[in-house]
Amino acid sequence: MKKKLARTTLIVSGLMVISLIAGCSPAPDTKKSANDSGKKDSALNWNMDPSTLKGETVTILAADSDGSVAKMMNKFTDETGIKLNFVGVDFTSMYNKITIASLSNSSDIDLVEMDTIWAGQFLKGNIVEDLTNVVPEDAQKQFTQSSLNSVKYDNKLAAVPYFSSTKHFYWNNDLLKKAGISAPPKTWTEFREVSKKLTQNGIYSSGWSWKQAEGLACDFVGMVYSFGGQFFDKDGNFIANSPESVKALQYMTDLIRTDKTVDPASLQWTEDDVKAAFAAGKIAMMSNWEGMYPDLNDPAKSKVVNQTDVGLLPGEGKVVSATVTGSEGIAMMKASKHKQAALAFLKWMSSKNFQQPNFIDRGQYPVLQSLYTDPEVKKADTTNTIDKILAQFQYGQNRPNGPGYVEWADILSTEIFNALSGGKTPQAALDDASKKINEAIKKAK
């Protein structure tokens, strides 16, 4: 299974390097095509019979650590006759390679794996094709909410969903029962109250990936939307210090500094560290990506076998739940010379032919909502958690992935960390973040 756990801790440092390569602009602005106007590109037909393209070659750049992705995607050639040239790379070097290819206007790469935080960069930087009017609306409606949102920016489609991913809520039933708690909290107000009961005898109620890195921004985003906030105003201006955002950060700060119910090591933890603490029974609750099972029920890896469950992250007020998306997509390069064949791959990749075995063989959660009731998919879900995972996908929210995110993501995580570690008040930290980020955005224009 391809995991998101290590990615969020490494991604921003890699992106900052590319900002230096690209200069002041948040993304290179290459030559525009006829599709930039938003009108349907008559040369691209979602419903074209792929057999008419037999013999063409499409090159895709995607992360692949063990060869399993290449094996899965190469089935495209067997089914369509279109040759796929798969170029597997380490995820941390992905953005670098994509940007350099765009800067050189290279047509060697037709398709690229796209992380959700790159959508704005890639569309505004004219790196990838706008597929809004290429992928039919009825096809888009078949995708899970989190996977579709993750490949959109400003209501435009930057890619076709590749897999579904969000953070989820995990809890230890045994620890809750010992503390006299009959059910997991549904609101953050309830979460804070039960946390005080759960923190005892060397056990902390929760642990978080609050190291000063992208994982911290992920948790903050989910919390902001939980409290009814957002990151852009009605005019599209970035806002980091809205009342809702300050309330969310104050809540996070209170958990760790006032209530002391959060394991203090959280300020050095990544998602992997949080998983390890949860599996060791050292924390009672956590927020983490899907894919925690079956490891949590493996006696060789866990001390909490059959003690835990997963469900919706808490909400607050009128918000039932909110979480950050980690879904990704496959985008079509603007410079590609094989766009129709590339589009044929995108349609195949987002279909049952790829999505079903990608879950059964690799554990990647499908982008097609219909597959969550598919008998073969249900059979492969040996932990019986897929319905709970799907439920959270409907509440996925993107990080503020507008152009320039690669330059100011580190500013946001730094200021959030300043508040959590006691260096600044939440209000002061987010005021500073807002000022610095807006200065960075203005400079990049």
Side-chain angles (χ1 to χ4, degrees):
M1 174 185 296
K2 184 169 68 175
K3 297 182 179 179
K4 303 286 296 183
L5 304 183
R7 291 188 176 188
T8 54
T9 63
L10 298 171
I11 199 168
V12 171
S13 60
L15 298 183
M16 292 298 289
V17 173
I18 304 307
S19 294
L20 298 176
I21 295 175
C24 292
S25 175
D29 189 10
T30 55
K31 187 177 181 180
K32 295 184 179 292
S33 74
N35 200 35
D36 291 341
S37 64
K39 296 181 180 179
K40 185 177 178 65
D41 188 338
S42 59
L44 293 176
N45 182 358
W46 179 259
N47 295 314
M48 180 178 286
D49 184 350
S51 66
T52 62
L53 302 166
K54 187 175 181 179
E56 285 202 36
T57 299
V58 174
T59 298
I60 183 170
L61 182 71
D64 190 10
S65 60
D66 59 7
S68 64
V69 180
K71 181 180 179 181
M72 192 71 62
M73 288 188 172
N74 279 326
K75 294 178 182 179
F76 171 68
T77 299
D78 299 333
E79 296 184 24
T80 65
I82 301 171
K83 183 178 179 181
L84 185 71
N85 178 27
F86 184 91
V87 181
V89 297
D90 181 85
F91 184 83
T92 56
S93 65
M94 181 85 64
Y95 190 93
N96 188 339
K97 293 181 181 297
I98 295 170
T99 306
I100 291 175
S102 180
L103 284 168
S104 63
N105 202 30
S106 171
S107 60
D108 293 340
I109 301 172
D110 302 293
L111 297 161
V112 294
E113 183 175 345
M114 187 195 78
D115 197 358
T116 178
I117 59 175
W118 303 342
Q121 294 285 116
F122 283 8
L123 280 175
K124 289 294 186 179
N126 216 31
I127 295 175
V128 301
E129 282 288 342
D130 176 0
L131 300 173
T132 309
N133 298 308
V134 175
V135 181
E137 288 187 14
D138 61 345
Q140 295 186 39
K141 290 178 181 178
Q142 296 177 30
F143 301 134
T144 61
Q145 186 260 17
S146 66
S147 69
L148 183 59
N149 277 2
S150 72
V151 294
K152 279 190 168 186
Y153 172 73
D154 196 23
N155 293 318
K156 294 182 179 180
L157 194 67
V160 171
Y162 175 23
F163 60 82
S164 294
S165 178
T166 63
K167 280 200 167 183
H168 305 264
F169 184 34
Y170 297 84
W171 62 88
N172 186 315
N173 282 312
D174 283 16
L175 291 179
L176 264 64
K177 184 178 180 180
K178 289 177 182 178
I181 301 165
S182 59
K186 293 184 178 181
T187 69
W188 288 115
T189 296
E190 292 176 4
F191 183 95
R192 188 173 182 183
E193 291 307 310
V194 302
S195 291
K196 295 172 184 177
K197 298 178 181 179
L198 285 165
T199 303
Q200 56 181 315
N201 302 321
I203 304 295
Y204 285 94
S205 81
S206 63
W208 301 79
S209 52
W210 287 354
K211 178 180 179 180
Q212 188 177 318
E214 188 68 6
L216 172 55
C218 287
D219 284 341
F220 178 66
V221 166
M223 196 69 74
V224 168
Y225 280 99
S226 291
F227 282 92
Q230 55 187 1
F231 288 93
F232 294 96
D233 63 21
K234 59 184 174 118
D235 298 318
N237 299 311
F238 178 80
I239 45 173
N241 58 345
S242 69
E244 296 85 1
S245 294
V246 173
K247 187 176 182 179
L249 185 53
Q250 183 66 61
Y251 178 87
M252 294 166 68
T253 303
D254 286 344
L255 286 181
I256 192 168
R257 299 194 61 78
T258 302
D259 299 351
K260 301 185 186 303
T261 58
V262 171
D263 192 316
S266 294
L267 295 180
Q268 287 81 45
W269 278 355
T270 65
E271 289 97 334
D272 281 319
D273 298 319
V274 176
K275 177 186 178 182
F278 187 73
K282 295 180 179 180
I283 57 175
M285 301 179 290
M286 72 169 178
S287 169
N288 222 321
W289 306 103
E290 60 283 328
M292 299 295 101
Y293 296 106
D295 285 359
L296 290 178
N297 287 334
D298 183 346
K301 301 177 181 180
S302 172
K303 294 182 179 180
V304 296
V305 175
N306 298 324
Q307 295 177 23
T308 70
D309 205 347
V310 60
L312 291 180
L313 279 161
E316 190 68 14
K318 296 181 180 180
V319 179
V320 174
S321 179
T323 186
V324 66
T325 59
S327 309
E328 294 183 7
I330 302 294
M332 183 189 299
M333 293 291 283
K334 185 75 82 170
S336 168
K337 291 183 179 180
H338 308 96
K339 291 181 181 177
Q340 187 59 57
L343 186 62
F345 175 85
L346 293 178
K347 183 175 181 180
W348 174 83
M349 180 272 300
S350 61
S351 73
K352 179 179 178 179
N353 286 9
F354 174 82
Q355 292 291 320
Q356 185 197 63
N358 199 37
F359 175 77
I360 294 173
D361 297 341
R362 299 186 59 245
Q364 288 285 37
Y365 283 83
V367 301
L368 292 175
Q369 297 184 62
S370 60
L371 285 180
Y372 287 83
T373 57
D374 178 82
E376 292 302 312
V377 168
K378 298 287 278 188
K379 181 180 179 181
D381 175 36
T382 57
T383 59
N384 297 314
T385 58
I386 194 168
D387 292 337
K388 300 171 184 178
I389 296 297
L390 173 63
Q392 188 68 80
F393 288 161
Q394 308 313 310
Y395 296 97
Q397 299 287 350
N398 287 343
R399 280 161 279 173
N401 64 354
Y405 185 84
V406 297
E407 295 187 1
W408 46 258
D410 192 52
I411 296 174
L412 183 61
S413 62
T414 296
E415 293 301 339
I416 296 169
F417 186 84
N418 283 338
L420 295 177
S421 60
K424 295 181 181 180
T425 66
Q427 182 72 62
L430 292 180
D431 284 346
D432 287 347
S434 187
K435 179 181 179 181
K436 293 174 183 177
I437 290 171
N438 278 296
E439 286 176 352
I441 293 173
K442 184 177 180 180
K443 183 179 178 181
K445 289 183 177 179

